[in-house]
Amino acid sequence: KKHKSSKSDSDNHAVARTEVNATTNNNSTAANTSNTTKPSAKRSRRILAPNRNSFNTVIKAYANANDEQQKSRSNSNSNSAADNAQRILAMMEDPITTLGLNDHLDNNKQQQLSENEIMDMTKSIMPDKISYTSIIMACANTNNKHNNNNNKQQPPHDGGNKGNNKLVEELLDRMIDMYKSGKNDRVKPDTVTYNAVLKVWGKSGHPKSGERSEALLDKMLQLYEETGDSDIIPDEVTFNSVIHNIANSHVRDSPQRAMRLLERMDQLYESGLIKARPDIISYNSVLNAFAKSGGPQSASRAEELLDTLEARVLYNNDDDDADADNNGRSRRRRRHAIRPDVYSYNIVISAWSNCGDANKAVALLDRMTALTNEGRAHVKPDAMTYNTVLHAWSQSSDRNAPVKALGLLEIMLRLHEGGDRSANPDVMSFTTVINAFSKSKFPRKARQARDLLRRMKSLYEEKGQERMKPNVFVYAAVLNACAYTFGREEEKEEALKIGIETYEELQSLSSLGIETNHVAYGSFLRVCRRLMPEDSRRNHFITRAFKQCCSDGQVGEYVLKQLRAVPKLYATLLQAYIVDGGEVSYRDLPESWTCNVKDKRRKWKSDEPVGKRRNERSYS
């Protein structure tokens, strides 16, 4: 059970483990008493001995460890919840040592317990499928990146320096082997066990997570067809997990594979082989696969699938009173027509947004509004819908994109003021509109960006709208609008003034927990080098900002790119790291200069060299 007390999860886990150890030690001490032990004391040894439920409860406590706790522990030398859970499992797998019964197996020493008693006590703590499944869930709930990065410091155990995904498959294989060999008939894996393994693969970020998940599903289906064992039949969670893992595997053909699996699931259900039928989660996962693959063709396929679902809803509504055919399947399908929800539409809008087709995104938003007015409340646009359309405009090549984005933001504000909480704008809404201006050739865009920031701050400070609380990203967006200002000199001078004011304001917010990141530093350096005349004042601003950037550990590739555009300063500030006149990469710099740069482009395996980042975002 999850403890809802003032103690932290880690305290509860420590207490639980201490109690098991204490009980075990008490039992060991009692087992070594003399022959004068009274019968009541002998019985108390049996009562005090921890049983399977005792150990499983501790394992579940670790399995329920939340992600925030794992993040707080990631910088310490303490082991992860998954590692601690495995140690408890190891105790269960060696019951003689755990219960302190070694002396009772020594023929040269007097035995205080009979062989039957020893056998009963050891069997009472042997692990079962709940033990192993809970271990797998602990691995799923443990940050996989943290586990991989800290494996070298872990004590050796099964899966010691392997990823959680490999560890859980080894645990699954061990369960199967022990059950088939007759060593432990309590560890037979079931659907819940396999689903837990699929969850680990889904969270691993491994490029082969989709492939391995599909292989596990095939294994389950094969076992079910061969044995008819209903305990192993895949359910909705199984199929949806596999589809989700395929969609997130970032493989080129992942949308097609996810679609084929969805069709296969439908066929298996119609044939009666499985009871799991596709639901809206299944379809949304396939839509997500198309959305993440990118490109207009994928967005079109996603919208086609959405249209198919809508057509089935209409078909179902038009034929509710129709007679079923001879085998009853048409009525069965009509009764289970899948209704798209707001997430379905948001995913397809995101697909069009990612390829910059804002008009398609707006058309879907209009369709959602119309359906809502017809009584389809479950497709009513929410804040995510509007923000995704705003993002589409920020990616659009339409020259009027920033104006249209601003118009949509005004609609959101009016709806919110009118009591519609589903269209509640937030800091992301304002940041996206500012980005739309920064990427455009709109005149006076720096002023427009600054005014939007001020308006957002006013809503936060004067009206108490917490969702409008500024963050580093909105400041970076304003700096970016200044940095990419072109046109007349007076407009550039205004952008320079706004850029300096915005940067200084951002620097003053560190006490409020808003720290300048590498993008904001890079944008400000670009503001200085592009909008200031080449004089000592410009050198002063750039030098001061770069030194502060080094102190904050935010020297990334974007920052270095701006410095390279000022050769003299580049050579002066990085003289100690330039070899034979070559360029300096941020990997060549002291770790203290770069330690806080958040890089999402690292390869999955932490022990592989990153190498050249071909997908590095281009800032020009």
Side-chain angles (χ1 to χ4, degrees):
K1 296 181 180 179
K2 292 183 179 179
H3 301 278
K4 296 182 179 179
S5 64
S6 59
K7 288 186 177 183
S8 67
D9 283 346
S10 57
D11 290 338
N12 288 323
H13 300 156
V15 169
R17 186 174 56 176
T18 301
E19 289 174 350
V20 170
N21 287 338
T23 307
T24 305
N25 291 335
N26 288 338
N27 181 72
S28 177
T29 302
N32 289 306
T33 55
S34 65
N35 288 329
T36 59
T37 304
K38 296 181 181 180
S40 59
K42 184 177 179 180
R43 286 194 298 271
S44 71
R45 293 197 296 271
R46 298 284 304 276
I47 296 173
L48 283 172
N51 59 19
R52 187 179 297 106
N53 290 336
S54 311
F55 288 91
N56 283 348
T57 300
V58 179
I59 292 175
K60 288 179 181 178
Y62 286 119
N64 290 330
N66 57 58
D67 290 337
E68 290 303 316
Q69 179 202 348
Q70 295 307 312
K71 290 178 182 177
S72 67
R73 292 160 64 92
S74 62
N75 293 326
S76 67
N77 291 325
S78 57
N79 295 317
S80 69
D83 292 315
N84 287 325
Q86 288 176 72
R87 275 194 288 276
I88 302 299
L89 178 65
M91 294 170 65
M92 299 177 74
E93 292 177 329
D94 186 12
I96 298 298
T97 302
T98 300
L99 296 176
L101 301 175
N102 290 301
D103 288 345
H104 295 270
L105 299 179
D106 191 341
N107 294 328
N108 296 323
K109 295 185 178 181
Q110 292 183 342
Q111 296 187 11
Q112 302 302 316
L113 297 173
S114 68
E115 291 184 3
N116 288 336
E117 286 177 317
I118 293 174
M119 185 176 296
D120 289 343
M121 292 177 68
T122 56
K123 283 186 176 180
S124 70
I125 71 167
M126 285 294 290
D128 57 8
K129 68 181 177 184
I130 295 176
S131 314
Y132 285 97
T133 302
S134 298
I135 291 285
I136 295 171
M137 289 305 300
C139 292
N141 294 332
T142 298
N143 186 310
N144 195 66
K145 181 178 179 181
H146 157 64
N147 185 72
N148 290 335
N149 288 344
N150 290 279
N151 275 329
K152 294 180 180 179
Q153 300 175 3
Q154 307 288 345
H157 56 72
D158 287 342
N161 56 4
K162 302 172 184 177
N164 281 344
N165 47 343
K166 291 184 178 180
L167 169 62
V168 297
E169 288 228 27
E170 289 176 359
L171 288 173
L172 178 61
D173 290 340
R174 192 193 307 176
M175 293 174 70
I176 295 172
D177 291 342
M178 285 192 294
Y179 176 72
K180 287 184 175 180
S181 65
K183 293 180 180 179
N184 189 341
D185 59 358
R186 293 177 174 271
V187 295
K188 175 187 172 185
D190 59 10
T191 304
V192 176
T193 308
Y194 278 92
N195 289 346
V197 176
L198 292 172
K199 182 177 180 181
V200 174
W201 273 109
K203 296 185 70 174
S204 70
H206 196 286
K208 291 188 177 181
S209 59
E211 178 182 332
R212 289 299 307 143
S213 298
E214 201 165 1
L216 285 170
L217 173 62
D218 291 339
K219 185 176 183 178
M220 294 176 70
L221 288 169
Q222 181 182 354
L223 288 172
Y224 175 62
E225 291 177 356
E226 291 175 353
T227 64
D229 186 357
S230 59
D231 289 341
I232 204 69
I233 185 172
D235 59 11
E236 290 92 343
V237 176
T238 311
F239 278 93
N240 289 343
S241 297
V242 177
I243 294 173
H244 173 270
N245 294 353
I246 291 174
N248 288 277
S249 62
H250 306 293
V251 179
R252 181 173 296 180
D253 66 338
S254 59
Q256 291 74 24
R257 289 170 56 194
M259 189 68 195
R260 285 196 298 269
L261 182 56
L262 178 66
E263 294 170 348
R264 182 185 179 191
M265 180 183 181
D266 196 29
Q267 292 168 0
L268 291 171
Y269 170 69
E270 288 295 328
S271 69
L273 184 63
I274 63 173
K275 297 179 181 180
R277 64 173 180 266
D279 56 15
I280 190 57
I281 298 175
S282 314
Y283 280 92
N284 284 349
S285 295
V286 176
L287 289 172
N288 194 40
F290 282 110
K292 288 189 173 183
S293 65
Q297 186 176 2
S298 295
S300 296
R301 290 291 305 277
E303 187 163 353
E304 287 174 9
L305 181 57
L306 178 65
D307 292 340
T308 300
L309 290 176
E310 286 289 6
R312 289 180 183 176
V313 172
L314 293 174
Y315 174 75
N316 183 63
N317 293 338
D318 291 341
D319 295 287
D320 273 342
D321 299 326
D323 292 332
D325 59 14
N326 292 334
N327 60 18
R329 286 188 181 178
S330 64
R331 175 172 293 175
R332 183 185 189 188
R333 180 173 290 279
R334 282 198 298 273
R335 286 177 180 173
H336 300 303
I338 308 299
R339 289 179 174 270
D341 56 16
V342 64
Y343 302 107
S344 312
Y345 278 90
N346 287 351
I347 292 169
V348 181
I349 290 174
S350 176
W352 286 118
S353 172
N354 291 336
C355 58
D357 197 331
N359 291 319
K360 293 282 189 179
V362 170
L364 285 170
L365 172 61
D366 292 340
R367 190 204 294 188
M368 294 173 72
T369 304
L371 291 172
T372 303
N373 294 334
E374 294 173 5
R376 297 268 300 276
H378 57 283
V379 296
K380 182 178 182 180
D382 58 10
M384 179 62 70
T385 312
Y386 287 101
N387 282 347
T388 307
V389 177
L390 288 175
H391 180 261
W393 282 122
S394 74
Q395 300 296 310
S396 174
S397 58
D398 188 330
R399 61 182 300 178
N400 294 317
V403 177
K404 294 178 179 179
L406 181 59
L408 183 58
L409 177 62
E410 296 292 352
I411 291 174
M412 294 175 69
L413 290 167
R414 286 200 300 271
L415 288 172
H416 178 67
E417 291 172 0
D420 187 350
R421 300 304 177 191
S422 62
N424 194 4
D426 56 13
V427 61
M428 178 61 70
S429 311
F430 277 84
T431 303
T432 307
V433 176
I434 293 173
N435 281 330
F437 276 100
S438 69
K439 294 176 181 179
S440 72
K441 296 181 180 179
F442 202 80
R444 304 288 182 185
K445 62 183 180 182
R447 180 193 300 178
Q448 186 69 57
R450 188 266 318 273
D451 291 346
L452 282 168
L453 173 60
R454 288 180 175 177
R455 185 177 180 186
M456 188 188 74
K457 288 177 59 183
S458 175
L459 291 171
Y460 170 67
E461 295 172 356
E462 298 176 12
K463 296 189 177 182
Q465 296 186 20
E466 285 294 324
R467 291 168 62 88
M468 299 297 182
K469 182 179 180 180
N471 57 29
V472 64
F473 303 106
V474 69
Y475 281 94
V478 175
L479 288 171
N480 204 41
C482 298
Y484 284 87
T485 294
F486 302 93
R488 296 175 299 177
E489 287 301 318
E490 60 181 28
E491 186 174 346
K492 292 180 180 179
E493 290 176 3
E494 181 185 49
L496 173 61
K497 180 181 178 182
I498 293 172
I500 294 174
E501 291 174 354
T502 303
Y503 173 76
E504 292 178 347
E505 181 178 325
L506 175 59
Q507 288 285 303
S508 69
L509 296 177
S510 59
S511 59
L512 301 178
I514 302 177
E515 302 289 346
T516 311
N517 64 10
H518 66 287
V519 176
Y521 276 116
S523 295
F524 181 66
L525 291 176
R526 182 179 171 87
V527 168
C528 296
R529 75 170 182 81
R530 285 198 66 256
L531 303 180
M532 284 184 177
E534 298 182 12
D535 54 17
S536 59
R537 178 170 175 260
R538 184 181 77 155
N539 293 344
H540 168 73
F541 270 91
I542 292 177
T543 301
R544 187 181 65 174
F546 180 72
K547 289 182 177 180
Q548 185 61 50
C549 181
C550 295
S551 177
D552 290 346
Q554 292 288 354
V555 181
E557 196 60 43
Y558 183 32
V559 171
L560 291 178
K561 184 174 183 178
Q562 303 312 313
L563 272 185
R564 293 188 192 107
V566 190
K568 291 184 179 179
L569 277 180
Y570 177 74
T572 301
L573 295 172
L574 298 174
Q575 183 178 8
Y577 306 98
I578 298 176
V579 179
D580 298 329
E583 285 191 353
V584 176
S585 167
Y586 74 90
R587 300 179 190 87
D588 303 324
L589 300 175
E591 185 178 357
S592 61
W593 289 16
T594 64
C595 58
N596 293 321
V597 176
K598 296 189 186 305
D599 184 5
K600 297 181 180 180
R601 293 172 292 273
R602 292 190 182 275
K603 292 187 177 181
W604 179 81
K605 291 186 178 179
S606 60
D607 55 346
E608 283 189 4
V610 176
K612 184 178 181 180
R613 293 177 188 164
R614 297 180 180 179
N615 295 326
E616 187 85 353
R617 181 179 175 182
S618 174
Y619 296 89
S620 58

